Amino acid sequence: MKIAIGSDHAGFQYKEAIKKMLIDLGHEVIDKGTYAATPSVDYPVYIRPVAEAVAAGEVERGVVLGGSGNGEAIAANRVRGVRCGLCWNEESARLCREHNDANVISLGERMMSEQTALKLVQIWLDTPFEGGRHLSRIQQLDTY
């Protein structure tokens, strides 16, 4: 799978760990930055390119990170065609794929351990979209 990844300064450490995991799993990773933990940077600059790559079909999925993941999820979801789920535990990672067909995951480095972040990305990658009753809801989102 081809996956774009991006973070601000507060998500940089986990971005690097997730990028390594994805590459080790055989995925092609497109790093949209930032490329260091300092200085402080504005998250939309690095999150929007990830979301745009997903929306344009240049990549199949995207991973965005920040301190909490909240602003990053908001920024990603501003791009039409992106369904970004903010995940904080295993169930949220599973459900954002099963019910929402999330093509982007947002994580907060200050909210969880690195081990948890890696686990959530793995669950998100492995979980298929359930379809069925959820499909019409996804289609409704795409009309806005």
Side-chain angles (χ1 to χ4, degrees), residues 58-135:
E58 296 167 11
V59 297
E60 295 165 75
R61 303 245 190 118
V63 178
V64 297
L65 301 106
S68 71
N70 282 300
E72 292 73 21
I74 292 167
N77 280 317
R78 292 283 177 105
V79 177
R80 187 180 185 93
V82 169
R83 293 174 305 281
C84 180
L86 173 61
C87 297
W88 57 92
N89 61 25
E90 293 181 21
E91 186 173 16
S92 64
R94 181 180 56 79
L95 288 174
C96 83
R97 283 289 307 139
E98 277 184 0
H99 292 187
N100 308 114
D101 197 19
N103 50 16
V104 178
I105 187 172
S106 183
L107 302 170
E109 187 168 314
R110 296 175 182 155
M111 304 292 119
M112 65 191 68
S113 69
E114 183 176 301
Q115 180 181 359
T116 297
L118 294 170
K119 175 96 172 166
L120 298 185
V121 171
Q122 187 66 62
I123 290 168
W124 174 76
L125 287 171
D126 292 343
T127 303
F129 176 48
E130 196 174 272
R133 63 189 167 99
H134 305 291
L135 182 59

